Amino acid sequence: VPEDGSHWLSMREVVDGLKQKGHEIVVVAPEINLHIKPTKNFILKTYPVPYTQKELDEHFQALVMEVFEEGSSLERLIKTYHQLKKTSAIFPSTCRHLLYNKELVRYLEESKF
């Protein structure tokens, strides 16, 4: 169950390496994400989350733009802090939606994931 963003970019190399060694890989990810897209190297199991792709993209774009905003370092730091608070709220929500997805959890249990 990888974390999205830069964590997934690093993890994807590990997944590709494991596939080359003959392993079957199952990746569990929210259906709305930044970088986790299906490939021939793994089976992708997704689950619904309470935000859209547009909302997620806009959120992370705003976070990146905060770094380049005009103003004092303190002002930018405060804006970035508030944006990061919003970001950190997404992750627990995503985890809750995975853990409360009975069908997916049952699949994971039955397949000894």
Side-chain angles (χ1 to χ4, degrees), residues 18 27 30 40 42 50 66-67 77 93 98 102 104:
L18 289 170
V27 173
K40 61 181 172 36
F42 58 85
E66 291 293 336
V67 175
L77 180 65
S93 170
L98 166 60
K102 291 179 183 183
L104 181 55

Side-chain angles (χ1 to χ4, degrees), residues 11-50:
M11 182 67 142
R12 189 173 58 198
E13 290 183 30
V14 173
V15 168
D16 292 345
L18 289 170
K19 178 65 176 178
Q20 288 176 355
K21 293 183 180 205
H23 295 275
E24 179 182 79
I25 317 300
V26 176
V27 173
V28 177
E31 64 186 6
I32 305 300
N33 63 71
L34 297 173
H35 300 294
I36 306 171
K37 307 301 178 209
T39 74
K40 61 181 172 36
N41 288 341
F42 58 85
I43 299 165
L44 180 61
K45 294 288 188 179
T46 62
Y47 56 94
V49 288

Side-chain angles (χ1 to χ4, degrees), residues 43-62:
I43 299 165
L44 180 61
K45 294 288 188 179
T46 62
Y47 56 94
V49 288
Y51 47 85
T52 66
Q53 188 70 53
K54 182 180 180 192
E55 290 170 329
L56 185 65
D57 292 344
E58 287 174 352
H59 174 73
F60 278 97
Q61 185 175 18

